[in-house]
Amino acid sequence: MLRSWLPAILTITTHRSTRIWTGPLFPFGYGLSHTSFEYRDLKHSPPEVSMAYLGAGTSVEVGITARNAGARAGDDVTMVFIRDGIASLAQPVRRLRGFTRTSLEPGEARSLSFELGWKDLGFWHNDGRYVVEGGSFDSCR
């Protein structure tokens, strides 16, 4: 019997067919767990910043509340991704900018915060310069 959970590099040949898996066993951030988690109250402080503000070494705080909605205790790895949809160079759809592991009992909620600064919001330009461009960023879990 062929299993759909076999690793991507494994090839199985049977007398009828050959199956080759081309994807990962578990994609990044898949998160196997015996409980479930909910997220709410995503906020940015301050909601808008100037280039001078970031250039002075200050940062933007991204906060979110994680809650164990299941019946068992569990560990959650909360990840913060950003997306720059209007950069002068094409950017990845999501860029990981922070993560933290949190142990939560059933029903427990905890506020988490992440600091994003100049180095988190920029990218390397084709000419070798590190740039932070004005515009808007979306954050997502």
Side-chain angles (χ1 to χ4, degrees):
M1 178 172 141
L2 297 176
R3 306 265 183 191
S4 62
W5 49 262
L6 295 172
I9 58 172
L10 185 62
T11 302
I12 295 179
T13 304
T14 65
H15 67 282
R16 294 181 190 204
S17 65
T18 300
R19 293 180 82 180
I20 300 174
W21 280 263
T22 58
L25 180 58
F26 297 106
F28 180 72
Y30 185 78
L32 298 175
S33 181
H34 294 287
T35 191
S36 58
F37 297 93
E38 294 175 348
Y39 305 94
R40 63 178 189 266
D41 303 330
L42 177 65
K43 57 185 177 275
H44 306 86
S45 177
E48 293 185 13
V49 296
S50 67
M51 297 294 282
Y53 180 85
L54 282 175
T58 55
S59 59
V60 176
E61 181 180 347
V62 177
I64 193 167
T65 301
R67 178 177 149 333
N68 183 344
R72 296 182 181 204
D75 288 356
D76 177 51
V77 177
T78 304
M79 298 175 276
V80 173
F81 295 88
I82 64 165
R83 182 173 62 96
D84 184 355
I86 58 171
S88 61
L89 293 176
Q91 296 296 305
V93 174
R94 296 187 321 168
R95 290 190 292 166
L96 179 65
R97 292 294 149 213
F99 65 94
T100 185
R101 183 182 191 123
T102 309
S103 296
L104 297 170
E105 294 297 320
E108 181 183 3
R110 188 170 302 158
S111 294
L112 308 171
S113 66
F114 302 88
E115 297 287 325
L116 300 179
W118 183 267
K119 66 179 182 167
D120 297 311
L121 301 175
F123 60 92
W124 289 100
H125 204 275
N126 287 339
D127 61 6
R129 294 178 298 124
Y130 191 80
V131 297
V132 176
E133 296 178 337
S136 68
F137 292 86
D138 297 322
S139 59
C140 55
R141 180 199 174 287

